[in-house]
């Protein structure tokens, strides 16, 4: 998970399960580029959408992951 840095659970085929989160939502005219997306676990995905501190978490991602660009 690019957010919590914990390895997500394994699928039955042995691959790890991750979800894609767009930092600026597609519905808000965010792009579908890698500079606007992170591969994260389901828990972090829900936290980024509904967590009380989601803005702080978003800022942390931007500061820690160099490829990300604010849109």
């Amino acid at each position: 998970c690019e957010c919590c840095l914990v390895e997500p659970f394994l699928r039955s085929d042995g691959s790890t399960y991750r979800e894609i989160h767009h930092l600026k939502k597609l519905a808000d005219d965010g792009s579908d580029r890698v500079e606007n997306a992170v591969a994260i676990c389901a828990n972090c995905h829900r936290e980024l959408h509904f967590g009380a501190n989601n803005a702080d978490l978003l800022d942390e991602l931007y500061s820690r992951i160099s490829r990300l660009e604010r849109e």
Side-chain angles (χ1 to χ4, degrees):
C1 174
E2 290 187 284
C3 188
C4 69
L5 305 176
V6 173
E7 193 69 22
F9 69 86
L10 293 177
R11 298 174 179 213
S12 59
D13 68 0
S15 65
T16 54
Y17 179 82
R18 292 180 174 93
E19 298 177 353
I20 300 302
H21 177 72
H22 292 88
L23 302 173
K24 181 175 182 184
K25 297 176 186 177
L26 297 175
D28 293 334
D29 294 325
S31 73
D32 200 19
R33 301 177 323 138
V34 297
E35 294 86 358
N36 185 46
V38 287
I40 57 177
C41 68
N43 284 342
C44 287
H45 199 186
R46 293 295 116 217
E47 186 173 4
L48 279 164
H49 279 283
F50 305 110
N53 297 316
N54 60 356
D56 293 336
L57 191 54
L58 186 63
D59 287 340
E60 180 185 328
L61 288 170
Y62 279 118
S63 67
R64 188 166 35 85
I65 302 172
S66 62
R67 77 166 189 285
L68 299 178
E69 297 175 5
R70 289 188 187 267
E71 296 186 351

